[in-house]
Amino acid sequence: LYVSHNPISDDGMALISEALKHNTSLTLLGVEKCGLSVKGAISISEVIMGNSSLEKLWIGWSEIGDDGISAIAGALGNSKISVLVVSECGITLTGARVLAAALSSNHTIRKLVLRGNPITVEGALLIVKAAVHNTVCHEVWIDDIYGNDEVKMMLNILEERKRQSERGYSISGTDSSSEESLEEPKVTMETRSDSEETYSTLPITTDVGSTDNVETGRDKRCPSDEKLS
């Protein structure tokens, strides 16, 4: 279900939530730029808790803030969501802490897009450390302004995990006993182009001459499902 770029507001999201709570076939919910606030995020969290099939959730460009992401993070525990997009949602360090805690214990999220949020360097570090700890998550998009040495070190750990995975090894996260192999793990820092309508990503690698085919950022037009798969 893709209703992004429509002014459905929190009231509309509440109606959608009521209809989807017990749905067993929905795999994608796109509600970006829909005028949502904390109330809308709470409605989304109810969908997550009641829906057994939802895999991709796009909430970018909403005013859900820290309280909204906290509600959503609290619902992730038993979900099947593998892609979570919360770009430009007013998430600060407080929300980053909650999201990092959820990411550490979640076993389904493979991609987290968190660009355009003032999470600070501390928040970025918490997120990437959680990604390292979580042996399922393999891709995190954050703004490159938060890429200090320690953050880059965590990203390099994940990049090494990617290389080992490509050679057929099973690499577990920091302090994790899981033996699950990762499939093409990928973590990128992101830079925003002010002269274009799209965002571009800059992969963090130890070899600056080598870049993988990473996914470009979200277009302000309607995206296809393939863009955030």
Side-chain angles (χ1 to χ4, degrees), residues 31 40 54 64 68-69 105 114 124 135 137 145 158 160 166-167 176 193 200 225:
V31 287
L54 186 61
I64 63 174
I69 195 62
S105 59
L114 196 60
T135 59
C137 185
I145 60 173
L158 291 171
E160 178 60 23
E166 289 173 343
R167 291 196 287 267
S176 172
S193 173
S200 62
D225 193 20

Side-chain angles (χ1 to χ4, degrees), residues 3-14 30-41 44 58-65 88-89:
V3 294
S4 296
H5 303 263
N6 287 291
I8 64 173
S9 74
D10 292 336
D11 291 339
M13 189 65 240
V31 287
E32 296 180 311
K33 290 189 175 182
C34 287
L36 302 184
S37 67
V38 177
K39 289 183 179 180
I44 291 172
W58 304 346
I59 324 171
W61 292 275
S62 300
E63 298 181 1
I64 63 174
E88 300 201 35
C89 284

Side-chain angles (χ1 to χ4, degrees), residues 115-134:
R115 66 195 176 197
N117 290 289
I119 59 175
T120 75
V121 172
E122 181 182 348
L125 183 57
L126 290 171
I127 292 293
V128 295
K129 278 185 174 180
V132 168
H133 178 80
N134 186 326

Side-chain angles (χ1 to χ4, degrees), residues 31-111:
V31 287
E32 296 180 311
K33 290 189 175 182
C34 287
L36 302 184
S37 67
V38 177
K39 289 183 179 180
I42 293 173
S43 294
I44 291 172
S45 71
E46 293 173 352
V47 174
I48 297 172
M49 288 187 288
N51 187 287
S52 60
S53 59
L54 186 61
E55 297 177 357
K56 300 174 185 178
L57 179 59
W58 304 346
I59 324 171
W61 292 275
S62 300
E63 298 181 1
I64 63 174
D66 293 331
D67 290 340
I69 195 62
S70 295
I72 291 168
L76 293 175
N78 296 319
S79 77
K80 293 184 179 179
I81 292 177
S82 60
V83 178
L84 177 60
V85 180
V86 286
S87 301
E88 300 201 35
C89 284
I91 301 168
T92 70
L93 172 59
T94 300
R97 287 186 177 125
V98 176
L99 192 54
L103 183 60
S104 293
S105 59
N106 179 275
H107 299 293
T108 61
I109 293 180
R110 293 180 175 273
K111 179 183 294 186

